């Protein structure tokens, strides 16, 4: 999605931006130039930049970038010591409980499947030492609800891959457009494949050589103009995005430390009507 990277605060040693969904923070996978760091360098001449924390490609919101390695290291030390508070908002399925929910459940990320699962001890109170996942804790507080969906404040105490997303699934209230952690029976929109994760999964899956040849033959009848500036363009089939791409309903709104606070405006979807 061609959303701008909005600069929120520019200081001598820190830059904060509102990261749009669908754009990765730094080069990874099939993304080299179209990243937050790459766009800031190309369009604003801002370099070098050191991302202080990580936001998944599909997640939007506040992104803090240090403008020197020493400042980035200071942020890192504060985060690792637990001196930084993080706040996100999510739009979830159902009426989220009125009282604060605290999820203490290990998160185990499967790199091959590209998703995390929750691991908890058994009902006998046995030790969780045998669990493979990493310890994780997230606090959830309902902000509002319309009876069908809820806006929830998410405060991750730890920082595991997909932690907020999988912990919300664990509570029975997954993010309303999160195909990776949303039951197919919950949302008709999900079944139609209109979420960002469905499109991402399609685009990231390696094509079968035989079907690839067939697809290329079929594509010859489609109106697809090759970009002369991209040396890889002839080798990339424009598959996986059908024009209905949307950002995940998970947005970083605030990071605060011992003597600093950075915030980001709420997205439009955070207002239930």
């Amino acid at each position: 999605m061609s959303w701008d990277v909005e600069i929120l605060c520019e200081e001598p040693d820190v830059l904060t931006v509102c990261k749009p969904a669908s754009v990765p923070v730094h080069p990874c996978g099939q993304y080299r130039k179209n990243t937050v760091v790459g766009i800031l360098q190309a369009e604003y001449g801002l370099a070098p930049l050191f991302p202080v924390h990580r936001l998944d490609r599909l997640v939007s919101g506040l992104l803090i970038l240090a403008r020197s390695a020493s400042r980035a290291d200071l942020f890192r030390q504060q985060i690792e010591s637990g001196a930084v508070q993080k706040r996100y908002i999510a739009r979830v399925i159902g009426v989220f409980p009125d009282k604060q929910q605290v999820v203490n459940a290990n998160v185990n990320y499967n790199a091959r499947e590209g998703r995390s699962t929750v691991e908890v001890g058994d009902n006998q109170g046995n030790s969780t030492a045998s669990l493979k996942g990493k310890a994780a804790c997230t606090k959830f507080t309902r902000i509002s609800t319309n009876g069908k969906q809820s806006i929830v404040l998410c405060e991750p105490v730890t920082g595991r891959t997909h932690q907020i997303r999988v912990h919300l699934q664990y509570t029975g209230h997954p993010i309303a457009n999160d195909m990776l952690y949303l039951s197919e029976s919950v949302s008709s929109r999900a079944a139609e494949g209109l979420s960002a994760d469905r499109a991402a999964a399609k685009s990231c899956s390696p094509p079968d050589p035989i079907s690839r040849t067939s697809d290329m033959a079929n594509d010859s009848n489609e109106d697809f103009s090759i970009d002369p500036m991209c040396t890889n363009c002839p080798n990339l089939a424009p598959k996986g995005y059908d024009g209905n791409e949307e950002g995940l309903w998970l947005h970083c709104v605030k990071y605060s430390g011992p003597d600093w606070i950075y915030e980001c405006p709420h997205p439009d979807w955070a207002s239930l009507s």
Side-chain angles (χ1 to χ4, degrees):
M1 296 178 286
S2 58
W3 294 346
D4 293 332
V5 177
E6 178 186 357
I7 295 178
L8 300 174
C9 177
E10 189 170 356
E11 300 174 352
D13 57 351
V14 179
L15 178 75
T16 67
V17 302
C18 182
K19 174 193 171 300
S22 86
V23 178
V25 173
H26 48 69
C28 61
Q30 61 182 337
Y31 296 87
R32 183 183 179 190
K33 295 292 186 180
N34 287 319
T35 66
V36 174
V37 173
I39 291 171
L40 289 173
Q41 179 176 0
E43 297 186 3
Y44 298 95
L46 295 170
L49 294 173
F50 304 84
V52 170
H53 59 102
R54 181 175 174 270
L55 291 180
D56 289 338
R57 185 180 72 84
L58 300 176
V59 178
S60 60
L62 176 68
L63 179 66
I64 305 172
L65 303 109
R67 305 185 72 171
S68 68
S70 59
R71 189 69 174 92
D73 189 57
L74 178 59
F75 275 122
R76 178 187 59 79
Q77 293 176 25
Q78 292 178 348
I79 292 175
E80 291 180 351
S81 67
V84 175
Q85 288 75 51
K86 300 164 280 186
R87 289 191 167 194
Y88 294 72
I89 55 172
R91 183 167 175 167
V92 305
I93 289 291
V95 178
F96 200 84
D98 185 39
K99 294 183 179 180
Q100 185 185 70
Q101 305 291 303
V102 180
V103 176
N104 280 290
N106 286 21
V107 172
N108 185 21
Y109 180 68
N110 186 316
R112 172 171 291 185
E113 295 182 1
R115 60 177 293 161
S116 294
T117 54
V118 165
E119 295 180 335
V120 294
D122 57 35
N123 295 330
Q124 305 301 319
N126 293 335
S127 171
T128 59
S130 61
L131 300 180
K132 296 180 180 179
K134 297 180 179 179
C137 177
T138 313
K139 301 176 182 177
F140 298 108
T141 306
R142 190 180 80 190
I143 297 175
S144 63
T145 183
N146 61 5
K148 295 182 179 180
Q149 296 180 345
S150 302
I151 302 299
V152 178
L153 173 66
C154 315
E155 299 175 274
V157 178
T158 52
R160 311 305 181 194
T161 302
H162 295 184
Q163 176 178 315
I164 294 175
R165 297 165 69 181
V166 73
H167 274 183
L168 281 170
Q169 180 197 50
Y170 180 72
T171 67
H173 300 275
I175 295 173
N177 70 340
D178 190 350
M179 266 302 298
L180 201 60
Y181 298 100
L182 183 65
S183 170
E184 293 182 1
S185 64
V186 174
S187 169
S188 59
R189 291 202 71 216
E192 294 171 1
L194 300 184
S195 72
D197 259 316
R198 172 64 66 84
K202 287 182 179 179
S203 67
C204 292
S205 300
D208 177 77
I210 298 178
S211 62
R212 164 69 183 219
T213 303
S214 175
D215 286 343
M216 291 181 67
N218 294 334
D219 286 343
S220 62
N221 297 325
E222 298 178 2
D223 182 17
F224 172 58
S225 58
I226 292 179
D227 183 353
M229 298 297 293
C230 178
T231 57
N232 290 318
C233 196
N235 301 318
L236 297 176
K239 297 295 184 181
Y241 298 94
D242 57 5
N244 293 314
E245 174 81 343
E246 65 180 357
L248 191 68
W249 287 343
L250 178 62
H251 185 86
C252 181
V253 294
K254 183 178 181 179
Y255 263 60
S256 59
D259 56 357
W260 53 268
I261 298 176
Y262 296 111
E263 297 180 276
C264 182
H266 288 200
D268 293 340
W269 53 255
S271 176
L272 295 173
S273 56

